[in-house]
């Protein structure tokens, strides 16, 4: 099995990133498609617009956001399977635009995928 990482899209792309997937619903401000060096933009795995707006990256709502997003992810079986299948062949880096990983959905997605890997 290869490595699953998360990283801010504003950080420099490296060879160790492997397959780079943007997991935000909105395109990140101030970054060109060339600089992003994406392999894929998987908008549908991102939190719903309603959940994203409710959360607003407020630390006080992080725990409830995580719970709600995990519920949404349970409905995203095709997208989760797709990421896991890519991960069987190469490293995968989930990219996000939030200022910190702790306040991004990428860390929740990474935990869910790691849990799925551990079950195999």
């Amino acid at each position: 099995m290869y490595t699953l990482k998360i990283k801010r899209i504003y950080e420099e792309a490296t060879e160790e990133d492997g397959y780079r997937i943007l997991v935000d619903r909105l395109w990140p401000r101030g970054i060109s498609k060339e600089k992003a060096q994406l392999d894929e933009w998987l908008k549908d795995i991102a939190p719903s617009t309603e959940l994203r707006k409710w959360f607003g990256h407020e630390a006080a709502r992080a725990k409830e956001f995580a719970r709600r997003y995990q519920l949404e992810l349970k409905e995203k079986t095709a997208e989760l399977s797709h990421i896991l299948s890519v991960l069987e062949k190469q490293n995968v880096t989930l990219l996000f635009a939030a200022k910190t990983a702790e306040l991004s959905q990428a860390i929740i997605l990474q935990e869910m995928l790691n849990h799925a890997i551990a079950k195999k």
Side-chain angles (χ1 to χ4, degrees):
M1 188 58 82
Y2 289 88
T3 306
L4 175 65
K5 299 186 297 184
I6 62 171
K7 184 176 188 177
R8 283 193 82 215
I9 195 162
Y10 302 103
E11 293 177 46
E12 205 63 42
T14 65
E15 203 170 300
E16 295 82 46
D17 289 347
Y19 195 83
R20 292 170 51 91
I21 305 173
L22 177 61
V23 294
D24 284 349
R25 189 166 297 278
L26 303 175
W27 186 260
R29 290 182 191 165
I31 193 153
S32 67
K33 292 200 184 337
E34 294 76 33
K35 181 147 174 51
Q37 295 184 36
L38 293 184
D39 291 295
E40 186 171 0
W41 182 10
L42 199 55
K43 293 180 209 178
D44 293 338
I45 199 103
S48 64
T49 300
E50 299 78 24
L51 181 56
R52 179 182 55 79
K53 287 180 177 180
W54 171 82
F55 177 44
H57 297 291
E58 290 183 32
R61 294 182 175 173
K63 197 171 208 163
E64 180 61 14
F65 170 75
R67 188 190 71 75
R68 292 181 188 188
Y69 182 46
Q70 287 167 350
L71 289 173
E72 287 187 358
L73 283 173
K74 289 181 180 178
E75 306 297 316
K76 310 281 184 178
T77 53
E79 291 87 349
L80 293 169
S81 294
H82 169 67
I83 295 171
L84 290 170
S85 71
V86 174
L87 196 52
E88 288 175 358
K89 301 175 197 105
Q90 60 187 310
N91 291 340
V92 172
T93 300
L94 306 175
L95 301 166
F96 63 94
K99 288 188 172 98
T100 65
E102 294 76 25
L103 293 179
S104 84
Q105 76 280 4
I107 196 164
I108 299 160
L109 177 56
Q110 180 188 36
E111 287 170 3
M112 183 168 258
L113 289 165
N114 282 334
H115 184 70
I117 291 164
K119 281 177 137 182
K120 285 187 174 183

